[in-house]
Amino acid sequence: MKRGAIVLSSVLGFVLLLILPGCGSGSQPTTVVQSQPQPVVSAITMTVSPRGISLGASETQQFTATVTNTTNTAVTWTVSCSSAPCGTISASGLYTAPPVIPSAVTATVTATLQADSTKKGDASVNHVPLSVRVWPLLAMTMAAGATQTFTASIDKHSNQNVTWSLSGLGCTGGACGTLTNVTASSATYNAPATFAAAATAMVTATSVADATKSQLVKINLMPISEPLNGRYAFLFRASDSATVFGASLVADGKGNLSGIGDLVTASGAHANQPFTGSYALGADRRGTMQITGAGVTLTLRMVVVTGNFGRLLDFSGTGNGNGWFEKQNETAFSPAIMTGGSFALGGTSGSTFTSRVGDASWDSSGNGGAIAFYWYSYFAGCAIDSTTGRGTLVPNEPTDAMFSTAPHMAFYTVDATHALMLGDIGHPSLRLFGSMDAYANSELRGDYTYYMVTSTSLAAGRFTATPGADPGTVVISGVQDEVQDGGVNLDVPVTGGIGKGGFGEPILTLSIGGVSLGSELGFTTSDGRLLFVTENGSYGEAYLQKDGPFSNSTFTGNFGLQLFGRDAHALGMVSLAPPNLTGTTD
């Protein structure tokens, strides 16, 4: 016991000595021992670049992985997708798209850190199927014996070869024409020497690399009618758009008219109504036309450019209207033949100047066509009358008030690639007037002439469209002349282009004289044609220039002439012998 107590006392004394080494000499400063800060460990991060790309068959892309906060940066590369083939990627990150891309698929490229498999980085690769491009892909009517050379190219594939074929609607064999000078990239179409009846020839270029991909060109074959004789698509609008009238009319070659038409006025719509009338045509191709019925009485002056096409001017004394008519190819009166297109419509909504552009398409039964009007879309069904060529596009009525002005449109088929349109046969307050042409997903390129209409001005000009630095983009540069309420402006510079919006959608921008028409313009394209509208209702159309270079001798001979504006119109036949112009106008 004592021994243990002694030991304890010694220990206590030693502790006291440690705590109070200066006992009896006064208070001493206390020593504070601070803990050392612990190092902060940052999380490992990984990014893969580029983050998103689009590739065609067999195209390659080098990916890189950037790893931070670790010295061990080795990664393993893998690729996956929802539908094979997905493509391949090497150990160094070189991705190769599959040699055949049957449909659009998005593959995911993944880099996984070898030292920690929970650390990953992704990138997306959009597989773009090849597409066949034929040039020109213009909606065209060809005269008997005429020729046209077509060239083909393949987008997103190294094999540029195509095969060519010819078929027809309303014709067989040589009656559809022939193909000569056929190569792997071009072919010359030869129209028949004579047309026994109206028909549609179809030239098809098919990819050798993927026979499921092709491009079809429809060619309208129609004998010229002399004098005015047969069935015509007809479109008329009063200058203030108070009245819009579309019709399929029959001229009997003896001065008598009949047909069915659609009339839209501020007070109501009269759809698919019969009418009768008469016409007289002079030796200079100028004449008159009267129409009574379908809710309208019109007295018109006309000039017949050919027996298949003419221009109209209102002399009813009610409002400076204008319009035109075109011979109908009755072999195209079917949803399976006339399959839709790009369209532009201008007019009024109530008393407000407005316009629409969009794309319409439907299947062979006329079901489920999709129509885009500037910033919104809706679905519609199509029907075409097999006798008159009158078609209707009737939307499924949306419930959102934003879509309440989706037009019910009527159109009159001209041929397999073209129709005259009006709206609205369902909403009389929306009175629109325009046309539709075969749609093709094609790149804007080359030299274009154009016009533009606003509530206070008219403009005409020319621009050149060239491919931009990034795929799918276009650069526009040109000049225009314009007539405004305040005066005339000549040689005004035009710049702009087609780029990509925030969701990857194509966006058209235009600047006139340094003033932007808006950051986003609604537009649609067919090969050789651009249609566009602005947020304030202005609209315009651009057409590819062909057969240049141009000079005074380019345009000589007799031409139909039509000038129209807000307060005055003119119509006539003129003779051009540059620098002189002579003729007679109403």
Side-chain angles (χ1 to χ4, degrees):
M1 279 298 285
K2 291 183 178 179
R3 184 172 184 272
I6 294 172
V7 172
L8 177 59
S9 300
S10 299
V11 172
L12 289 173
F14 180 72
V15 171
L16 290 173
L17 288 175
L18 288 176
I19 297 175
L20 301 172
C23 183
S25 62
S27 63
Q28 298 294 320
T30 302
T31 301
V32 178
V33 179
Q34 296 181 344
S35 61
Q36 296 297 317
Q38 297 298 314
V40 178
V41 179
S42 299
I44 298 173
T45 63
M46 183 190 303
T47 57
V48 175
S49 60
R51 295 296 302 274
I53 59 167
S54 296
L55 296 178
S58 300
E59 291 184 331
T60 61
Q61 174 65 49
Q62 179 65 54
F63 286 94
T64 59
T66 302
V67 183
T68 61
N69 302 320
T70 182
T71 57
N72 188 349
T73 60
V75 299
T76 299
W77 293 96
T78 56
V79 61
S80 61
C81 65
S82 60
S83 177
C86 299
T88 60
I89 193 163
S90 70
S92 63
L94 179 64
Y95 174 82
T96 303
V100 176
I101 298 178
S103 61
V105 171
T106 298
T108 300
V109 170
T110 301
T112 302
L113 189 64
Q114 293 179 1
D116 183 352
S117 61
T118 65
K119 302 300 186 294
K120 301 176 183 290
D122 292 332
S124 61
V125 181
N126 297 318
H127 291 172
V128 182
L130 71 82
S131 59
V132 182
R133 188 191 302 275
V134 176
W135 191 263
L137 194 60
L138 293 169
M140 62 179 64
T141 298
M142 293 185 64
T147 63
Q148 175 65 55
T149 297
F150 295 98
T151 60
S153 60
I154 305 295
D155 289 343
K156 293 299 182 180
H157 204 281
S158 59
N159 187 341
Q160 294 288 299
N161 294 341
V162 301
T163 58
W164 298 90
S165 59
L166 175 63
S167 58
L169 301 166
C171 62
T172 58
C176 297
T178 59
L179 292 177
T180 57
N181 304 320
V182 177
T183 71
S185 60
S186 66
T188 299
Y189 171 77
N190 308 276
T194 59
F195 299 148
T200 300
M202 296 182 291
V203 175
T204 301
T206 302
S207 167
V208 171
D210 184 350
T212 66
K213 305 298 189 299
S214 63
Q215 179 64 66
L216 172 70
V217 182
K218 296 177 182 178
I219 302 169
N220 190 45
L221 305 177
M222 187 153 42
I224 294 177
S225 173
E226 299 291 355
L228 198 64
N229 192 0
R231 184 176 291 278
Y232 294 80
F234 172 103
L235 197 57
F236 168 84
R237 177 181 65 183
S239 59
D240 59 0
S241 293
T243 299
V244 178
F245 181 63
S248 173
L249 64 81
V250 177
D252 67 358
K254 301 177 183 179
N256 301 305
L257 297 174
S258 62
I260 59 100
D262 296 285
L263 174 70
V264 183
T265 70
S267 60
H270 306 270
N272 203 24
Q273 299 294 306
F275 64 85
T276 59
S278 61
Y279 68 95
L281 189 62
D284 63 352
R285 295 180 176 270
R286 297 166 57 241
T288 60
M289 181 182 293
Q290 288 80 36
I291 292 177
T292 302
V296 68
T297 299
L298 295 174
T299 299
L300 307 170
R301 296 291 176 92
M302 65 176 174
V303 58
V304 179
V305 181
T306 72
N308 291 346
F309 178 80
R311 293 284 187 176
L312 301 164
L313 189 63
D314 180 31
F315 269 70
S316 304
T318 58
N320 297 327
N322 67 89
W324 74 99
F325 55 89
E326 298 183 54
K327 187 74 174 292
Q328 292 178 280
N329 184 341
E330 298 178 39
T331 64
F333 291 177
S334 165
I337 308 306
M338 178 62 182
T339 55
S342 301
F343 59 84
L345 300 168
T348 59
S349 177
S351 59
T352 303
F353 184 72
T354 190
S355 57
R356 299 286 191 276
V357 296
D359 299 324
S361 62
W362 48 84
D363 62 23
S364 60
S365 299
N367 298 318
I371 304 174
F373 278 107
Y374 193 36
W375 59 82
Y376 59 88
S377 304
Y378 60 90
F379 291 93
C382 168
I384 299 178
D385 186 271
S386 60
T387 300
T388 64
R390 176 184 182 269
T392 55
L393 291 171
V394 181
N396 298 326
E397 284 294 342
T399 56
D400 193 322
M402 174 183 176
F403 301 94
S404 61
T405 56
H408 295 233
M409 294 185 294
F411 65 88
Y412 289 88
T413 304
V414 175
D415 55 50
T417 61
H418 178 55
L420 308 187
M421 300 185 72
L422 76 156
D424 186 314
I425 58 175
H427 298 96
S429 64
L430 191 64
R431 300 181 296 278
L432 302 172
F433 169 102
S435 62
M436 174 169 57
D437 287 286
Y439 174 76
N441 186 16
S442 57
E443 184 179 87
L444 199 70
R445 57 184 178 183
D447 297 322
Y448 289 75
T449 57
Y450 70 94
Y451 74 88
M452 184 164 58
V453 180
T454 76
S455 60
T456 59
S457 68
L458 296 171
R462 181 179 187 272
F463 67 76
T464 298
T466 57
D470 297 324
T473 62
V474 177
V475 176
I476 290 175
S477 177
V479 64
Q480 75 174 30
D481 302 318
E482 56 190 29
V483 181
Q484 298 180 332
D485 285 348
V488 176
N489 299 309
L490 303 179
D491 299 326
V492 181
V494 176
T495 59
I498 297 177
K500 294 186 182 298
F503 297 98
E505 77 282 9
I507 295 296
L508 173 67
T509 59
L510 286 177
S511 177
I512 310 297
V515 178
S516 174
L517 296 185
S519 59
E520 299 180 7
L521 308 184
F523 76 99
T524 186
T525 60
S526 56
D527 237 33
R529 189 182 187 210
L530 170 71
L531 314 174
F532 61 92
V533 297
T534 68
E535 293 185 46
N536 64 7
S538 305
Y539 67 93
E541 299 185 52
Y543 295 88
L544 181 70
Q545 281 188 308
K546 299 188 299 180
D547 304 324
F550 304 103
S551 66
N552 280 348
S553 61
T554 301
F555 298 100
T556 60
N558 297 319
F559 292 81
L561 172 70
Q562 184 174 40
L563 300 173
F564 62 91
R566 189 167 56 191
D567 302 316
H569 301 269
L571 183 74
M573 182 65 72
V574 299
S575 177
L576 292 182
N580 300 314
L581 180 153
T582 58
T584 304
T585 63
D586 299 315

